[in-house]
Structure formats: structure tokens, C-alpha cells
Amino acid sequence: MNIHEYQAKEIFKKYNVPTPNGYIAFSEEEAVQNAQKLGGNIWVVKAQIHAGGRGLGGGVKLARSLAEVRTLASEILGMTLVTHQTGSAGKLVHKVYIEEGVDIADELYLGIALDRAKEMPVIIASREGGMEIEKVAHTSPDKIIKIAIDPFIGFQPYHGRELAFGLGLAKEEMSSFIQFASNLYKAYIEKDAELIEINPLVKTKSGNFVALDGKIGFDDNALFRHPEIEAMRDLTEENLAEREASQHGLSYVKLDGNVGCMVNGAGLAMGTMDTINHLGGTPANFLDVGGSANAQTVATGFKIILKDHNVKSIFVNIFGGIVRCDRIANGILEATKLVNVDVPVIVRLDGTNAVEAAEILKNANIKNIIIATDLNDGAKKAVAAANGDIL
Ligand code: ADP
Ligand code: MG
């Protein structure tokens, strides 16, 4: 689960990771009030969406008067912000963060991510903050410092010194930087984060380190331990179909292709998607209906898959182990009564009672239900149907 910059900064503050003061605003009126509350004479108006690259997309702007705060807030609120992370559709801005303007002397990068190969959190730092770190990593990997932290040892001052030396910091900057990194690591561990990114981490003209931006992604499997983080969830930022699926206990991930997939078990779902790709098709989604495929879950699965208008055929690929194929076949027939399925549905049922299942589907004689004999046959038919071939 991801949160907004302003929420990440609330967490930073709790862990004594310095960040500029700011307030969230839902209207231009509130934006001006926030600027007044902050005082000073330079503010930054920042679009709050779950994507980076807002600055380049026109979603982060400097204001030098209250009147300018109002104008910028009214421009940014309600805009569809397109950045390199949103895709061309962009994201609608519902709220802006009004923050005090900071005198920037230098922009660095500091992040913590989970290195699955090393099985440890890795602190990543670079002098080249403020721009896309992916580009730096690509063109000049020597400018990126990476230090793995053994979670049983935790962050130690020597880790901090190694980072500080790598960043070329001056002696008098060391201790405040080490404290900064140490506090950030504590937040990462205690909040069960998967990723924390501060880009840029700035050195101010008065010599302080401040998190000017903040991104945190959390481990969904640990959310039950953090109701305060679950409460930060912003549903407007999430894919509605994925959300609805998870409420029904289905794992669904939308993709860009046109062959809808309904499968039981994550491994079979992956295998199904691979086979579709292999045969020249493109899956429209990953969908695991779980172990208890019945009329209701199948109907919900159809409903969710068909919300995506790119879907031109649906491949139902279910292995009947504990759940018997004849029951699933009846479930599919029932589901087609509950949901109007207007694309060809290719059904491959294998395992317990597969023969009876094929019989049930054949006898039902529904025009757009096509029976497949095996995975390859099913995938081939689904790809052909998606391409408009008559089966
Ligand atoms: P994004 O990464 O989505 O573009 P940032 O929060 O990193 O958004 O902001 C983009 C740029 O705007 C920063 O690199 C920085 O130069 C400037 N900026 C952001 N917040 C402030 C601030 N409070 N004071 C001064 N400049 C800021
Ligand atoms: Mg940034």
C-alpha cells in the first residue's frame, strides 16, 4: 500500500526525520489559510497523487504571495496531472500540500528498499538527488551508494559514516546526517515499510538536512499490525476493480491485453498468462479465484474481468482438485445467468470429474461457451477469439 507525500511526512516527523512544515488543503481557500498559518513569504503548492515526477509535470509550484498561493492552488486542484509515473491517462488532483519554501543548497537522494536477493533492507544514497534516480543508476551507477543492513544488527553509526563519506559530506555535517539516516531506518523497520524514498533530501543554506519529498510503500501483509497506516489508505488512488476483487477474496491485477483470464491458484494463473503470451496473445489480467471456485466467485470474476472494455475473450482455466469440475461447470452456467457475458468464454476444466463437467457444458449448449481439451488448446482458442476469429 502506498501513501501520499504529506502522510509520509507525518510519519517522518514522528521519527524526528526533519521535513518542512506544511498542511493539506482541499480547496484554494484552505490553501491560503494554510499559507497564512505557516507564515513566511515563500510557499510551495504540491499536488498530492500517488506518483512521482510531479515537479516536471507542473504539479509542484513556488508561490511568493498569498494571492499566488490561491492562483496556483486553483490551477493544480482538479488538474489531470501527467508524469512519467502516471501513464498518459494521468491522475486527477484532489488535494494539495502547502509547504514552507526551503532555501536549497544541495539536493541529494536517500532511500531504503528491500533487497530480496540479499534478504536485507538496503540503504541507497546519491549526490545526484532531485532527478530520476533510475536514470542516474543507469548512466552512472558509480554515483549510487548501496549499503545492506543486516536486520539483526540494525543501523549502526558506521553505516552512517560510510554513507556520509560516500556522499562527500563535510565533517561538521556528519552527525546530523547519521542521525537522519538512523531515524529513517527506524521508521522503515517499525512501520513495516517496503520502500522509503526521499528525493530530494536537501541540504539547506543554513546547513540542515531536510526531507523535501517523501514516498513510502508498505508491506500489505503487515498492515494488520498498523491500523494507523491502513487509515491513510486513499481509495481514489487505487484501481477500483482490484479493490472490489480483494473485497471478494479474489486476487486480481489488471493488465493491458485483451484475453481475460479466470484461473484457480496463482501458479496456474501465471502459467496460463505465459501460455497466452507464448501463443501470441496478451492477457488482460491476472485473476486467481482461489480454492473455492463456485457460482458466486465465478460470477464475481466475470463481472470484474468484464469491467475492462479491452477484454475480447475469457479463458477459464480451472483445475479441479478438492473442488470438483462438475460443480465448477454448474457454477459457470449459473454465473452466466447472473452476469451478462457478451464475449466468447473458453473453458478448460481438468482434474476430478472433468468428463462429467464437459458433458454438463456441452448439454447446456450455450453459444459463447467453448470447451477446450487442454491448456494449450484453451489458450489457442482464447487468443483466436480475442483476435475476432469465429471458433
Ligand atoms: P516530485 O518528485 O514528484 O517531482 P518533489 O517533492 O520532489 O516532487 O518536488 C520537485 C522539486 O520541487 C524538488 O526537487 C525541489 O527542487 C522543489 N521543491 C519541492 N518542495 C519544495 C520546498 N518545500 N521548498 C523549495 N523547493 C521545493
Ligand atoms: Mg521528488
Side-chain angles (χ1 to χ4, degrees):
M1 185 191 118
N2 294 323
I3 56 173
H4 288 288
E5 171 199 6
Y6 78 96
Q7 296 167 319
K9 286 178 169 174
E10 279 170 23
I11 294 175
F12 290 169
K13 285 207 173 94
K14 289 206 178 100
Y15 282 86
N16 293 319
V17 172
T19 176
N21 290 318
Y23 300 103
I24 192 74
F26 293 85
S27 66
E28 50 193 87
E29 207 49 57
E30 229 180 324
V32 174
Q33 284 165 10
N34 289 352
Q36 273 168 327
K37 241 192 301 187
L38 286 168
N41 49 20
I42 299 185
W43 302 273
V44 183
V45 182
K46 310 183 78 173
Q48 297 297 294
I49 54 167
H50 284 188
R54 296 163 301 162
L56 291 175
V60 176
K61 296 239 165 94
L62 208 75
R64 295 179 188 279
S65 68
L66 292 176
E68 216 178 338
V69 169
R70 180 184 296 275
T71 317
L72 292 174
S74 81
E75 278 168 20
I76 295 174
L77 281 166
M79 85 186 277
T80 300
L81 185 53
V82 179
T83 82
H84 63 94
Q85 287 185 6
T86 59
S88 56
K91 279 198 159 170
L92 190 62
V93 181
H94 297 285
K95 45 193 172 236
V96 286
Y97 192 46
I98 310 300
E99 191 173 69
E100 55 192 10
V102 172
D103 258 345
I104 303 174
D106 203 0
E107 299 199 335
L108 311 172
Y109 174 95
L110 186 66
I112 308 180
L114 185 66
D115 186 323
R116 290 173 198 277
K118 288 202 170 82
E119 302 177 355
M120 289 182 197
V122 172
I123 303 192
I124 304 161
S126 176
R127 283 201 71 87
E128 309 285 320
M131 47 192 278
E132 294 160 54
I133 195 72
E134 296 89 346
K135 248 186 220 163
V136 179
H138 192 65
T139 53
S140 35
D142 50 301
K143 290 194 174 142
I144 310 257
I145 309 153
K146 285 188 189 168
I147 299 179
I149 311 288
D150 185 329
F152 292 107
I153 296 171
F155 185 92
Q156 299 295 325
Y158 68 83
H159 292 127
R161 284 194 293 275
E162 200 179 331
L163 284 170
F165 283 131
L167 290 170
L169 299 184
K171 207 164 133 203
E172 63 276 12
E173 295 167 338
M174 289 272 184
S175 73
S176 69
F177 177 81
I178 294 172
Q179 197 56 55
F180 187 108
S182 165
N183 293 349
L184 193 68
Y185 182 80
K186 188 160 192 270
Y188 181 87
I189 295 295
E190 287 187 4
K191 294 294 180 189
D192 287 306
E194 275 183 345
L195 173 81
I196 298 190
E197 220 179 17
I198 300 178
N199 189 26
L201 158 62
V202 305
K203 213 162 33 175
T204 64
K205 291 202 172 129
S206 42
N208 299 315
F209 291 101
V210 180
L212 213 63
D213 192 3
K215 170 180 174 160
I216 309 184
F218 298 93
D219 178 355
D220 287 347
N221 293 319
L223 277 179
F224 73 96
R225 292 206 281 228
H226 306 286
E228 79 290 359
I229 288 170
E230 181 80 59
M232 291 181 166
R233 178 157 238 148
D234 183 349
L235 293 178
T236 60
E237 292 286 330
E238 297 184 11
N239 182 304
L240 282 181
E242 289 181 9
R243 181 86 191 138
E244 192 184 340
S246 89
Q247 279 162 350
H248 287 94
L250 310 178
S251 321
Y252 170 85
V253 180
K254 188 190 158 348
L255 301 167
D256 295 331
N258 60 6
V259 182
C261 304
M262 182 157 18
V263 189
N264 65 338
L268 187 57
M270 303 283 237
T272 305
M273 289 161 54
D274 281 350
T275 312
I276 289 169
N277 262 315
H278 180 66
L279 294 170
T282 46
N285 65 276
F286 167 98
L287 176 61
D288 174 8
V289 294
S292 61
N294 55 40
Q296 203 50 54
T297 48
V298 172
T300 309
F302 278 140
K303 238 198 277 178
I304 287 165
I305 291 175
L306 290 169
K307 273 185 205 284
D308 176 358
H309 295 293
N310 294 335
V311 170
K312 296 289 179 285
S313 70
I314 298 176
F315 182 20
V316 180
N317 184 21
I318 290 180
F319 181 78
I322 295 168
V323 47
R324 300 188 327 254
C325 291
D326 53 328
R327 284 199 54 195
I328 299 168
N330 283 321
I332 292 170
L333 296 178
E334 193 110 342
T336 56
K337 284 182 210 145
L338 298 171
V339 184
N340 175 30
V341 184
D342 52 2
V343 297
V345 180
I346 291 78
V347 184
R348 180 248 180 165
L349 295 172
D350 210 345
T352 314
N353 290 0
V355 179
E356 290 85 339
E359 206 57 32
I360 291 168
L361 291 177
K362 211 162 80 198
N363 291 341
N365 201 18
I366 298 179
K367 200 174 79 225
N368 63 337
I369 292 188
I370 296 140
I371 300 166
T373 51
D374 58 25
L375 170 60
N376 214 45
D377 179 49
K380 226 185 253 170
K381 285 177 172 157
V383 172
N387 288 338
D389 297 353
I390 310 286
L391 299 176

